[in-house]
Amino acid sequence: MAIMPSFASFFTFAILSGFLCAISFAQSDLISDLKSNGIDYVASGDSGFATASAAFNHRFTYTPAAVAYPTTPEQVSTIVQIAVKHNTHVSARSGGHSYIANGLGGQNGVLVIDLNRHLTQIQVDSSSGRATIQSGSRLGNIALTLNDHGRGLGHGTCPYVGIGGHASFGGFGYASRLWGMAMDAIVSMNLVLANGTAVTASKSENSELFWGMRGAGPSFGITTSITVETFPTPDSATVFLYTWDFTASKAASVLNAYQSFSLGQVPPGFGSELEMQKGSRKGRISMTLQGVWFGDESAFDGIINPLLNQIGQRTQSQQVTPGRYIDSVAFFGGEDGRLNTTGRPDGHDNFYVKSLLTPESQPIGNESAQAFMTYLANEGFGTNLDWFIEVEEFGGPGSAVNAVPVEDTSFGNRDALFLIQFYGFTDDVDTTFPSSGLTFIDGMVNNIVNHMPSDWSYSAYPNYLDNRLQNWQQLYFGQNYGRLQQLKASIDPSNMFQFPTSIELP
């Protein structure tokens, strides 16, 4: 016999149905306004929506209200005004490589403003060396265009990363010790505020906003273009890679040697990192010293040999290749070495990342290094997860990154020696990321931090976002967080630009 549902069940169903209908009508109205204003977009049910709404990191799946493709900065303003009218959060996406899908707003129902389809112009003033770069431009195309004018910029290695988010939170790469991060080169920016108003920010115009945008930009506005100081490319750039297979104990001593080397008189034109992966067998670690020397080829041996001599062990393989600046960018830019991303599909991954910025004033201790390498050599060998770790030479004497006074930008750390990225991924981008993988990557960081003094002043890097990070406000933004909250209250009091690690209202 069928059981009749209760009146309360009917009432609950009716309320829920009405709520869902209201959402549907509201979204329909938003789409209608996009259409009536001549905005190019895709929404649920449209061909291409699944591709447009897919996160780079397949660990995350969100469904936006729509993905809009403005053709001009004025259209960005119009789209934001439409979102305000319909009480819908907005998120800008330049390259779409946010590690935790903040480019999709980090939640369902966000109106995504994709800048990469149309806002990709790059103009270089040959007389001043300044470049104006629209925020949808990708790093590979930027490097090629600047190089055509004999210029360069400090930025990351992946050609597909968009400059918008990259430069908002830092933008570190091999040339950053020489030229600073991408963020540090910005002299002015054009952006759209949460009410749809277009403004310019610089040290002389909207200076507090300019301060906040360089370190936490997406919380305050959508950058449509930046103007940056660029730098003359060096006459020579030497790419180098040295690979070993070490015991855990030897790997720890190499990390200590690399740390001492980086604290010494390393020229700022020397950009390097130690990369670690699974070793040849349990108890061992594969380690690669790699990077670029942006200087006279004849000086390279004198710089690198003191470190190689201290390591002492014969390499499994090595490569030292002098060439042009743009060759070094292409070498680390991907498997095929092509920097032009126009018309080329981007890939996807399924991964979890953590980061550490280690203080120059309190380097990693030997006990911590030993515990870390023992963990990698044993648990790291046994895991089914693929992983790598990059210990990037961030600071040290002469680094242009740490030469910027901490109060000049909202970037939270200007006293770091190493920037460490802990990256775990799966071969199958569409499988569910294993919870054991999260725990394993957590363990990497814990084996460093837990063997350092309790007051160790480490921090984290906001371009390597971790959605599980505790106390992210202080670890990403440090002493600047309170000031950033005040700026948020004055610039975006309705919290239109909201995502999991956006600056919170006070």
Side-chain angles (χ1 to χ4, degrees), residues 7 10 13 32 70 128 143 148 150 217 259 262 285 369 423 446 479:
F7 175 77
F10 274 122
F13 176 76
S32 178
S128 69
D148 287 343
Q259 189 165 238
S262 299
I285 299 166
Y423 196 110
N446 293 340
Q479 66 187 44

Side-chain angles (χ1 to χ4, degrees), residues 209-403:
L209 177 59
F210 185 58
W211 171 84
M213 291 295 295
R214 293 172 299 143
S219 290
F220 307 113
I222 296 176
T223 305
T224 55
S225 67
I226 59 174
T227 297
V228 295
E229 297 278 10
T230 64
F231 304 88
T233 55
D235 294 333
S236 175
T238 300
V239 170
F240 58 90
L241 297 96
Y242 302 87
T243 301
W244 301 267
D245 188 66
F246 290 132
T247 64
S249 179
K250 179 61 177 178
S253 71
V254 170
L255 178 60
N256 290 335
Y258 183 58
Q259 189 165 238
S260 297
F261 172 79
S262 299
L263 285 166
Q265 297 303 312
V266 182
F270 186 89
S272 69
E273 66 180 46
L274 276 179
E275 182 174 304
M276 284 153 276
Q277 300 182 54
K278 286 185 183 181
S280 59
R281 60 183 184 272
K282 186 174 182 179
R284 302 187 74 87
I285 299 166
S286 175
M287 185 174 282
T288 299
L289 171 66
Q290 63 187 42
V292 187
W293 160 237
F294 300 102
D296 190 333
E297 173 192 349
S298 64
F300 174 71
D301 286 345
I303 298 168
I304 195 73
N305 281 345
L307 177 58
L308 296 179
N309 292 337
Q310 193 169 358
I311 293 172
Q313 186 168 317
R314 184 171 179 160
T315 60
Q316 285 187 320
S317 64
Q318 67 181 60
Q319 177 179 349
V320 178
T321 308
R324 301 172 302 161
Y325 164 77
I326 197 64
D327 296 331
S328 72
V329 179
F331 183 89
F332 287 108
E335 293 182 2
D336 62 4
R338 293 174 59 190
L339 295 175
N340 188 346
T341 67
T342 304
R344 298 173 61 201
D346 198 355
H348 294 276
D349 205 349
N350 187 357
F351 63 98
Y352 177 53
V353 166
K354 300 184 81 70
S355 68
L356 279 180
L357 282 162
T358 67
E360 190 171 302
S361 57
Q362 197 175 12
I364 296 171
N366 183 60
E367 179 185 349
S368 183
Q370 291 286 350
F372 176 50
M373 294 304 176
T374 299
Y375 181 82
L376 297 184
N378 293 282
E379 282 81 353
F381 185 82
T383 181
N384 291 325
L385 195 70
D386 292 307
W387 58 270
F388 63 85
I389 297 165
E390 295 172 326
V391 181
E392 302 171 312
E393 190 181 15
F394 188 83
S399 171
V401 175
N402 288 349

